[in-house]
Amino acid sequence: MSYPTHMRESMLRVEATRSTRLHESCPMMPPGDKQSILEEFHPDYRAEGMREIRVGASKGQRMPLELADLMEGTSHLTSGLLDMEQIDHDTDVLIIGGGGAGSSAALLARENGAKVIMANKLRHGDANTMMAQGGIQAADKGDDSPARHYLDVIGGGHFCNDPDLVAALVRDAPSVMQWLEGLGCMFDKEPGGTMTTIHGGGTSRKRMHSARDYTGAEIMRTLRDEVRSYPDEITVLEFSPAIELIMDDKGQVAGAILLNIETGEHLVVRAKCTILATGGSGRLHYQDYPTTNHYGATADGLVLAYRVGARLAFLDTMQYHPTGAAYPEQIVGLLVTEKVRGLGAQLCNVYGLQFVHPRETRDVEASAIIRECKERVKGVVTPSGMAGVWLDSPMIDILHGSGTTEKALPAMVRQFGRFGIDMAKEPILVYPTLHYQNGGLRLRPDGSTDVPNLFAAGEISAGVHGRNRLMGNSLLEITVFGRRAGAAAARRAQEVEGGKLTLKHVDEWHRQLQEAGVNNPIKSPLLLPDYRRKVR
Ligand code: MEZ
């Protein structure tokens, strides 16, 4: 397929400026310019895209329209619908979600003596973790330290992060890398055996560790294998999403109702502690953006936790990854890892000119691309009418030696190679894509939430990243807080005195919706995105 003629013409301009650009990079933006570009171009600042939620513990908080509609949805159940005395599974710790956070939690809960059930909406490991490419941050080299990592995270998050959560993240990072390696995770190494590390946007040291460009898949493979080697202590249920949390008459969370989506059967799972690890919400396609996310990323855990009174934070900030594929159409929105820029590729407009430093933080980088295409009209327009900018990937082999692209980015090379584009020789076209939910449930460093016996870990949570996450801190977050939540939930489970199970909170939720005048609410959790053609 390769590129049509008009795109080739623009590509020639990128080639023409390359030798000069190899020796010069756009300067980083001063702080004032960063703030103004965000306010003008970042989707989070588009007032029409957000609204306040009208009910619940965080009433009045702003969030994307699509999410607010879902959070204000009605349950698939009411309290009288199921016999809550008929218990299908009884366990110490129920984990809802089997991506990296859920799997890490399962392992640590087991290690701390708990019997565990892990409920997956689809298959174990069908999650955003599997799709994460570029790397995982950890300050484990001589020129770096958790303190430097801390400052980078806080700066990247616009100084809004929860300091205790950040401290936990960066302190645990080196030991989490050792843990993963000990479990068999094959990270990239130099010939001498030290871990290969590169920069990411907003990092002051090279601390991005990777497994080529399928780091998340490698971590998920390792964690899944490990979980599956303890079948007597960790029961894995697949195709069984949670559709409601269960409370007891003492006001504690006491498990969940699962829906077996193959048989339509409802399962009552009683648990002393419950961990939500359901990930993010990219499949809600805020403001019609395409997404890098897994099909299951539909905010289910947020919906369930909110109904039992958990508080939310930072849901008015989403991450638009600067470089989603913009051509060919078949892969629009799929991730082009930040590692491509980390290895030196620069962004260029239709004239082959650089317009932004390649390693600004993601929110700034994405805003600069949107401005280049929308306001300055210097994007490259594809045959489907979408504008994008060039990511000059051939720079990688020039800077690091022939064959580097193939070695460091095999998944990317294949993704574009299928369409006749050799990214080691030709630049690729990119545009921002919805990637990550910066906010979510409020959390303590041990993974506990405001609601008794309810824990959370991973993308569902809020505060670690403030208003903007740096590359590689999500794979770190899922392992650090998955482990913490698993251990804390197992410890707590030893003390829990359960009560009588109930779904009365669901009736109370419906009453609150009515009182707030929320008309025609949709049913939630959504479970899977609805891609059917809409009737006009
Ligand atoms: O942390 C991420 O989101 C990540 C590593 C993504 C990427 O660009 O590869």
Side-chain angles (χ1 to χ4, degrees):
M1 176 191 280
S2 193
Y3 294 112
T5 313
H6 75 281
M7 290 179 75
R8 286 208 155 270
E9 279 162 13
S10 168
M11 204 174 82
L12 290 178
R13 298 195 191 120
V14 176
E15 282 173 8
T17 58
R18 190 173 293 141
S19 54
T20 319
R21 282 185 291 103
L22 280 168
H23 309 288
E24 58 188 43
S25 186
C26 256
M28 286 250 173
M29 273 184 224
D33 291 7
K34 288 188 193 187
Q35 191 52 36
S36 21
I37 198 171
L38 289 176
E39 285 171 17
E40 253 189 281
F41 297 100
H42 196 279
D44 283 353
Y45 289 82
R46 279 193 64 232
E48 321 84 89
M50 303 266 174
R51 75 166 170 88
E52 290 179 0
I53 186 159
R54 293 169 288 179
V55 269
S58 297
K59 181 172 160 180
Q61 272 191 28
R62 287 169 66 70
M63 60 186 69
L65 304 178
E66 301 82 350
L67 182 59
D69 289 349
L70 211 60
M71 299 293 280
E72 290 178 355
T74 53
S75 174
H76 298 274
L77 300 171
T78 54
S79 71
L81 225 52
L82 296 173
D83 178 1
M84 301 300 286
E85 311 249 305
Q86 193 193 316
I87 314 279
D88 297 287
H89 293 280
D90 221 340
T91 192
D92 295 326
V93 176
L94 168 65
I95 299 170
I96 302 173
S103 301
S104 301
L107 291 171
L108 265 287
R110 184 208 75 88
E111 214 173 291
N112 284 273
K115 274 259 186 212
V116 179
I117 291 180
M118 177 199 279
N120 294 268
K121 175 153 63 179
L122 300 169
R123 294 164 305 176
H124 181 194
D126 285 342
N128 278 346
T129 301
M130 192 63 111
M131 309 180 75
Q133 298 177 353
I136 175 167
Q137 287 203 42
D140 57 2
K141 288 203 163 163
D143 66 342
D144 201 359
S145 66
R148 286 182 202 280
H149 189 180
Y150 179 95
L151 293 174
D152 290 347
V153 177
I154 298 257
H158 298 274
F159 304 94
C160 300
N161 321 49
D162 177 324
D164 295 336
L165 295 180
V166 183
L169 180 85
V170 301
R171 278 206 192 112
D172 285 9
S175 57
V176 155
M177 291 304 291
Q178 283 176 359
W179 179 66
L180 287 170
E181 224 202 343
L183 294 180
C185 199
M186 292 190 280
F187 291 112
D188 297 335
K189 297 213 170 143
E190 299 301 313
T194 55
M195 296 261 198
T196 303
T197 48
I198 65 166
H199 271 300
T203 60
S204 59
R205 291 290 181 279
K206 292 182 176 174
R207 70 171 77 90
M208 198 67 55
H209 302 65
S210 56
R212 309 290 177 102
D213 57 352
Y214 40 75
T215 315
E218 174 59 7
I219 290 176
M220 193 68 243
R221 176 193 71 77
T222 309
L223 293 174
R224 187 169 51 189
D225 279 359
E226 190 66 11
V227 167
R228 301 311 269 263
S229 54
Y230 298 105
D232 296 337
E233 293 135 288
I234 306 175
T235 304
V236 177
L237 303 176
E238 297 191 314
F239 301 106
S240 301
I243 57 165
E244 214 56 73
L245 290 175
I246 300 173
M247 300 288 284
D248 66 19
D249 56 2
K250 298 178 177 174
Q252 316 174 105
V253 168
I257 306 290
L258 308 183
L259 170 70
N260 181 325
I261 55 178
E262 289 179 308
T263 63
E265 180 191 14
H266 291 96
L267 299 172
V268 176
V269 182
R270 179 166 63 189
K272 292 184 176 138
C273 289
T274 302
I275 302 176
L276 287 170
T278 52
S281 58
R283 286 284 160 179
L284 301 186
H285 293 286
Y286 304 129
Q287 302 189 32
D288 284 335
Y289 268 80
T291 184
T292 59
N293 279 200
H294 178 259
Y295 281 104
T298 50
D300 301 353
L302 282 183
V303 168
L304 303 187
Y306 198 55
R307 284 181 193 160
V308 297
R311 284 183 309 148
L312 311 170
F314 295 121
L315 278 171
D316 60 339
T317 150
M318 297 291 153
Q319 180 160 88
Y320 295 81
H321 194 293
T323 58
Y327 182 86
E329 208 174 344
Q330 293 92 324
I331 56 167
V332 164
L334 294 194
L335 183 60
V336 173
T337 174
E338 188 169 325
K339 191 173 176 187
V340 179
R341 281 175 288 133
L343 288 167
Q346 295 168 344
L347 289 161
C348 294
N349 63 21
V350 69
Y351 303 113
L353 301 174
Q354 253 195 106
F355 56 92
V356 63
H357 188 283
R359 287 200 320 275
E360 293 283 7
T361 54
R362 284 183 175 170
D363 50 357
V364 171
E365 195 89 10
S367 303
I369 297 173
I370 295 170
R371 176 177 69 183
E372 203 67 11
C373 293
K374 295 219 161 133
E375 190 195 58
R376 296 180 172 168
V377 201
K378 290 182 182 169
V380 181
V381 180
T382 70
S384 70
M386 177 177 184
V389 295
W390 293 112
L391 181 56
D392 194 10
S393 44
M395 291 179 75
I396 296 174
D397 276 12
I398 299 172
L399 287 167
H400 303 282
S402 172
T404 306
T405 310
E406 173 69 46
K407 187 163 176 227
L409 301 161
M412 287 282 94
V413 167
R414 259 200 309 281
Q415 176 167 299
F416 286 94
R418 284 170 54 213
F419 301 98
I421 296 167
D422 180 353
M423 67 179 281
K425 299 204 174 70
E426 305 163 288
I428 52 183
L429 203 73
V430 294
Y431 191 78
T433 177
L434 180 56
H435 185 55
Y436 188 81
Q437 177 186 284
N438 290 319
L441 302 180
R442 283 184 183 276
L443 205 68
R444 298 187 193 94
D446 68 352
S448 58
T449 69
D450 302 326
V451 185
N453 303 339
L454 182 66
F455 294 74
E459 192 173 347
I460 190 176
S461 65
V464 184
H465 311 294
R467 303 192 66 81
N468 177 60
R469 179 175 66 77
L470 300 185
M471 171 193 185
N473 279 340
S474 67
L475 287 175
L476 180 59
E477 174 189 26
I478 56 171
T479 35
V480 165
F481 290 98
R483 283 167 53 87
R484 283 174 168 254
R491 283 195 300 270
R492 169 74 191 137
Q494 289 166 14
E495 304 160 356
V496 172
E497 300 272 339
K500 195 169 155 27
L501 304 190
T502 168
L503 285 177
K504 287 219 174 91
H505 61 285
V506 173
D507 300 341
E508 169 57 18
W509 173 251
H510 290 160
R511 193 196 61 72
Q512 284 181 41
L513 287 175
Q514 213 169 28
E515 194 177 275
V518 177
N519 296 319
N520 303 321
I522 50 180
K523 285 232 184 290
S524 57
L526 183 62
L527 303 183
L528 289 170
D530 182 2
Y531 288 134
R532 283 171 302 185
R533 192 187 294 274
K534 300 279 179 300
V535 177
R536 279 174 206 265

